[in-house]
Amino acid sequence: MTDKGIDKRLQAYRIYKRFIRILLTICGCSYSSTKSKSTNYSVYVLLMMILYAILNVHMCYFHRHNLPIMMKCIGITISTFGAILKVGTFLTNHNYLTSHHEMLDDLFEEELVRNEKIRMIMFLSLPTTCFLAFTYSAIIIACMLAFYMPTYLLIIHDLCHLNLRTANYTLPVTKGYGYFWTVPNNFLYYFHLLYETNTISFSCLTACGMDSAFGFYVYQFSSTMRAMTFRIMNPPPTEKFSDVLKACVVKHQKLLPYRDMLEHMYGPIVFWHIVTNAVLLCALIYEMSSSFSDFNIASSFVSLTYAAIKLLQTFMYAWYGTVLTDAFEDFRNGVYFGEWHNYRLDHHVRTNIVMIMMQKPMTINAFFSSVDMIMFTNFVNTTMSYFFLLQSVGEKGK
């Protein structure tokens, strides 16, 4: 990779980092050290999401006799509860996340400025990481705009023709039927419209921000580990190998608490998505196969898009977890093949090296399973197994 290519990768990394920061700030999960304003805004987002969840639960009850519409409401409700979980987890761990983020960012930048070879190693996985984050966010934001933009286009059209009448059916989520009261056909209608627009935006952007942030943290973590591995395997001639090894071992000890923080923060979130996504995909596939005779292009496109988002979301978490595990395995192999036993190291460093050799693979656990590609494979297999079970039960019922 040329110097020009490395500079482009560095610029892409800065854009990627800024993008994650903007998303987290919008959804109330910013890791800013100024706690007061950030916490107040996070509480506001959390309250909005709770009210939105109550509204969606009522929508599910309202459409309990219409299974296709009820399933769509259940999907929106589960997504809303997922956003509540993410914002609530951030709120309860704000100080913990902020301190560890600043520490990891400093360690990453410290390795980044060493030399061009290390920068090249650290930027190897950047294109894939950026592609996943930008693609996932673009799909969700496009779906979000497609959800409520027709309502605003209709209002703009009416205003251009001086038609100021409102219509409850143009509300993007509830269509005017999900509230505990009758939506008035006056200026208060626009208040309901803005409320639904805000809640949809918060729910979608929270998913974009928190899911993509997990990949960003894993990228910083794994890239720092790969830089350390490269330094051990290719020690610079101006430094003693014992000094390089000692510095890398100390840095490894600093990184371990951050791995614990990722598991503490994202373990429950990944578990939530694995369970709910499996249920939603299973129900969605069953519904599409059952109503195949009444084929509708628009409805099928919406269902397929939603299924693709859930699959991509699960795949992202699994892939990021695998990247983290592979980076640790590479570091452990680098230490093992670095011939550290031929050097006179102090007792403390030797003890840490032996402990690194004896450690289990560094993984992030989601209660029942480690977050890796095996988890994703099991997720797909379980979803299809339950789908065939539902199908067989349905056929026997007929």
Side-chain angles (χ1 to χ4, degrees):
M1 186 183 297
T2 63
D3 295 345
K4 196 172 184 180
I6 294 176
D7 291 339
K8 286 184 178 180
R9 291 285 177 89
L10 180 59
Q11 185 178 7
Y13 167 74
R14 301 300 182 196
I15 294 173
Y16 174 46
K17 182 178 179 180
R18 194 179 308 118
F19 173 73
I20 298 297
R21 180 185 288 271
I22 291 172
L23 284 180
L24 291 177
T25 302
I26 293 174
C27 68
C29 298
S30 173
Y31 44 78
S32 172
S33 57
T34 56
K35 183 180 178 181
S36 57
K37 292 183 179 179
S38 177
T39 302
N40 293 337
Y41 181 67
S42 299
V43 171
Y44 164 73
V45 174
L46 184 62
L47 291 177
M48 290 283 285
M49 288 294 98
I50 292 174
L51 293 176
Y52 187 45
I54 295 173
L55 175 64
N56 287 323
V57 170
H58 184 256
M59 280 284 292
C60 295
Y61 177 77
F62 185 84
H63 293 290
R64 63 191 181 279
H65 301 301
N66 191 329
L67 183 60
I69 297 179
M70 189 185 74
M71 288 306 302
K72 292 180 175 63
C73 294
I74 290 175
I76 297 174
T77 304
I78 289 177
S79 299
T80 307
F81 277 111
I84 292 172
L85 173 64
K86 291 171 184 176
V87 178
T89 302
F90 166 80
L91 263 176
T92 56
N93 297 278
H94 180 272
N95 292 336
Y96 190 49
L97 175 64
T98 300
S99 61
H100 281 77
H101 169 78
E102 292 175 350
M103 180 269 295
L104 179 62
D105 199 54
D106 292 340
L107 294 177
F108 179 86
E109 294 290 341
E110 181 182 334
E111 295 293 335
L112 196 64
V113 299
R114 287 190 183 277
N115 56 61
E116 294 178 0
K117 289 184 178 180
I118 288 181
R119 279 198 292 272
M120 182 178 65
I121 295 296
M122 297 177 73
F123 288 147
L124 281 178
S125 62
L126 180 63
T128 306
T129 307
C130 289
F131 176 79
L132 282 175
F134 291 146
T135 302
Y136 177 70
S137 300
I139 294 174
I140 291 183
I141 292 173
C143 292
M144 176 187 73
L145 294 176
F147 216 76
Y148 61 71
M149 280 307 294
T151 302
Y152 285 92
L153 293 177
L154 179 61
I155 292 175
I156 293 172
H157 176 270
D158 291 342
L159 289 175
C160 292
H161 291 79
L162 300 179
N163 181 8
L164 302 180
R165 293 178 297 174
T166 60
N168 291 339
Y169 64 84
T170 57
L171 288 174
V173 178
T174 64
K175 309 301 180 185
Y177 301 110
Y179 290 90
F180 296 93
W181 56 85
T182 301
V183 178
N185 193 19
N186 52 35
F187 71 95
L188 291 177
Y189 161 81
Y190 297 103
F191 170 80
H192 291 78
L193 175 60
L194 290 175
Y195 168 72
E196 291 193 16
T197 302
N198 285 334
T199 50
I200 293 172
S201 301
F202 281 138
S203 180
C204 293
L205 293 177
T206 299
C208 293
M210 290 296 286
D211 296 344
S212 300
F214 180 72
F216 176 70
Y217 299 144
V218 168
Y219 168 74
Q220 285 189 319
F221 193 108
S222 60
S223 296
T224 304
M225 295 282 286
R226 288 198 174 94
M228 292 157 52
T229 305
F230 180 82
R231 290 176 59 200
I232 292 175
M233 298 294 293
N234 303 274
T238 56
E239 298 182 45
K240 292 182 179 180
F241 175 78
S242 57
D243 295 337
V244 174
L245 181 60
K246 186 184 297 184
C248 290
V249 169
V250 170
K251 188 168 290 188
H252 173 266
Q253 296 300 314
K254 292 181 180 179
L255 286 172
L256 286 179
Y258 195 84
R259 201 280 318 177
D260 297 335
M261 187 277 292
L262 282 178
E263 181 174 286
H264 178 73
M265 286 279 295
Y266 280 95
I269 293 174
V270 175
F271 177 76
W272 168 266
H273 283 311
I274 291 298
V275 175
T276 58
N277 288 357
V279 173
L280 287 174
L281 284 174
C282 181
L284 190 62
I285 296 172
Y286 180 73
E287 179 193 344
M288 291 179 65
S289 64
S290 301
S291 60
F292 190 75
S293 56
D294 303 328
F295 182 74
N296 185 293
I297 296 178
S299 178
S300 299
F301 179 76
V302 172
S303 299
L304 288 174
T305 303
Y306 186 73
I309 290 174
K310 291 302 176 182
L311 276 174
L312 181 58
Q313 183 183 54
T314 310
F315 173 80
M316 283 172 56
Y317 278 110
W319 187 79
Y320 291 142
T322 303
V323 168
L324 181 65
T325 303
D326 291 345
F328 173 74
E329 286 299 311
D330 292 341
F331 176 75
R332 188 161 62 173
N333 291 334
V335 173
Y336 179 79
F337 291 106
E339 299 183 357
W340 56 273
H341 48 275
N342 294 331
Y343 292 85
R344 302 180 65 180
L345 303 173
D346 59 65
H347 177 72
H348 181 69
V349 175
R350 283 184 175 271
T351 302
N352 288 335
I353 291 175
V354 173
M355 290 179 63
I356 292 173
M357 295 293 101
M358 296 177 61
Q359 280 180 351
K360 295 180 180 180
M362 183 181 290
T363 58
I364 295 175
N365 295 314
F367 295 152
F368 69 97
S369 171
S370 58
V371 182
D372 51 24
M373 292 304 297
I374 298 176
M375 180 196 72
F376 178 74
T377 304
N378 294 336
F379 163 81
V380 175
N381 292 336
T382 303
T383 301
M384 297 308 299
S385 297
Y386 279 108
F387 161 68
F388 289 121
L389 177 62
L390 281 177
Q391 195 175 42
S392 63
V393 171
E395 289 175 355
K396 288 182 179 179
K398 293 179 181 179

